[in-house]
Amino acid sequence: MQLEDFGSTIPFPSRINPHLEEIRAGHEEWLRRHHLISDDADAESFKEWKMVELAARAYPEATARGLRIAADAMGWFFRFDDLFDGGPLACDITHASQLIAIVAGIAEDPDAAPESDEAPVISAFRDIRRRSVQGMSAEWIARSAEHWRGYFQGNLKEIVIRTAGAPISLKELIGLRRYTIAAAPSADLNECACVFEIPAKVAQNPYFQGMEADTADAIIFVNDLWSASKEESVGEPFNAISVIQDEAHCDRRTAQFTVAGLLDDCVRRFTHRKESFEEWLGTQSLSERERSAAVHQAAHLQDWIRANYDWSLESSRYRACS
């Protein structure tokens, strides 16, 4: 399967951060230090997932320091995600709740006293959070902590639905996946990675919030087109293709084309909202720094849509199952 087979293309330019090669070795060293990769074979397999490339595509304007934080966060996210999607915590609400309570607390305060035998996925997140909050305002820290809580709580909700075996509608799926895809925490990271903060009036603007939702949805639909085989093999219910098949009583191919159509609609909505957002910006009394931050954050959302599409074409994460 190729995404192009369904007529879906992303009309945004591909961009790459110039610091990509500069941070590659440090990222691998960080993964090893936090035991997110176990040996050389694991390291080589992980390289084929192309986490550094994903970060460089999604954060093309980040500083070298910022790109390292973003790349480490991407590497951590996929290791954390795999604990739940077909992993040891997929149906273990007790242990998952304990883990979520710890990492949510770290999002609030990364300097909360660590345990001496802290699990790798916890210590790695603590390190990412410590670095990402440096130099950021109390308002940004609170906003990003709230977004991390939404991501963590979304994982718990998935466990409840998974263990109950309850059906989920497409609307419910998208609403839940907007949290578990971690689009909001990833967007927050761009602000610290590029050393700026968007004003509250920008974050609260309906066009901007719509663009954030469109970005999350575009990531969901692309990922679901690629990961359907893998998730189906482990009985994972949170994929738009399988949900559409159940809802519409249609075959897999029809469901794939439906998801591709949803992706195209999403990209069109994003484009229109971005134009409206830019018009709105022109009417606002903002400082040059605030206006620049707003423009760059909107560009980042667009970059994420394109980055995820390009990464899906080159990463091995789902390749063997597609």
Side-chain angles (χ1 to χ4, degrees):
M1 187 197 78
Q2 295 292 323
L3 290 174
E4 305 94 294
D5 293 343
F6 301 103
S8 292
T9 57
I10 306 298
F12 307 140
S14 297
R15 300 206 292 163
I16 298 286
N17 191 296
H19 300 296
L20 169 61
E21 295 305 326
E22 180 183 342
I23 64 101
R24 189 185 295 278
H27 172 64
E28 181 175 339
E29 187 277 329
W30 182 86
L31 291 170
R32 289 179 183 274
R33 176 158 41 91
H34 287 281
H35 306 289
L36 295 181
I37 51 178
S38 56
D39 52 33
D40 289 345
D42 190 26
E44 287 303 312
S45 176
F46 197 79
K47 283 179 185 177
E48 293 304 310
W49 285 11
K50 298 188 181 295
M51 293 292 95
V52 179
E53 286 80 0
L54 174 59
R57 290 183 180 280
Y59 302 88
E61 297 179 350
T63 65
R65 173 186 174 275
L67 184 60
R68 258 300 306 278
I69 295 173
D72 294 349
M74 294 299 102
W76 173 87
F77 167 74
F78 281 94
R79 287 308 198 199
F80 187 85
D81 187 64
D82 284 345
L83 292 175
F84 297 86
D85 289 352
L89 299 181
C91 296
D92 190 340
I93 191 68
T94 300
H95 288 98
S97 296
Q98 293 169 352
L99 173 60
I100 295 279
I102 294 171
V103 289
I106 292 172
E108 292 281 354
D109 179 11
D111 291 321
E115 298 179 13
S116 58
D117 58 347
E118 200 164 66
V121 75
I122 296 174
S123 65
F125 181 68
R126 186 187 298 277
D127 180 70
I128 291 167
R129 188 62 176 160
R130 276 177 173 158
R131 286 185 286 152
S132 65
V133 301
Q134 288 179 9
M136 304 304 287
S137 70
E139 291 77 14
W140 181 91
I141 293 172
R143 167 162 54 90
S144 61
E146 181 180 358
H147 289 158
W148 277 117
R149 282 196 303 274
Y151 165 66
F152 295 135
Q153 291 299 317
N155 279 283
L156 288 183
K157 290 179 182 177
E158 284 193 350
I159 294 176
V160 172
I161 295 170
R162 188 184 294 114
T163 54
I168 185 170
S169 69
L170 181 62
K171 182 179 180 180
E172 291 169 332
L173 173 73
I174 293 172
L176 178 58
R177 292 284 303 286
R178 284 179 179 173
Y179 289 102
T180 59
I181 207 72
S186 298
D188 292 333
L189 278 173
N190 188 59
E191 294 175 76
C192 71
C194 296
V195 197
F196 65 72
E197 294 186 30
I198 59 173
K201 67 190 302 184
V202 169
Q204 296 163 6
N205 175 266
Y207 296 124
F208 185 80
Q209 292 179 341
M211 289 161 57
E212 290 181 312
D214 293 334
T215 300
D217 292 355
I219 294 171
I220 291 167
F221 297 141
V222 169
N223 286 7
D224 282 7
L225 282 167
W226 277 115
S227 65
S229 296
K230 175 186 175 184
E231 290 170 347
E232 184 178 46
S233 70
V234 296
E236 186 65 21
F238 304 108
N239 187 288
I241 290 172
S242 59
V243 169
I244 289 171
Q245 282 186 270
D246 290 340
E247 275 192 345
H249 305 290
C250 64
D251 59 38
R252 184 185 183 90
R253 189 74 171 176
T254 300
Q256 288 172 321
F257 274 107
T258 300
V259 172
L262 291 171
L263 171 61
D264 293 339
D265 292 342
C266 182
V267 171
R268 281 192 289 269
R269 281 197 309 273
F270 179 92
T271 301
H272 292 318
R273 282 174 169 152
K274 187 168 182 285
E275 292 171 354
S276 297
F277 175 69
E278 290 168 348
E279 291 176 3
W280 173 81
L281 272 182
T283 69
Q284 300 303 298
S285 297
L286 296 169
S287 69
E288 187 59 34
R289 183 177 179 80
E290 290 174 328
R291 191 176 306 278
S292 175
V295 169
H296 284 286
Q297 191 68 354
H300 165 69
L301 296 176
Q302 178 174 293
D303 288 330
W304 240 125
I305 294 174
R306 180 74 206 202
N308 186 63
Y309 181 89
D310 290 340
W311 172 75
S312 296
L313 296 177
E314 65 184 19
S315 171
S316 70
R317 179 167 168 84
Y318 305 121
R319 186 73 57 187
C321 302
S322 299

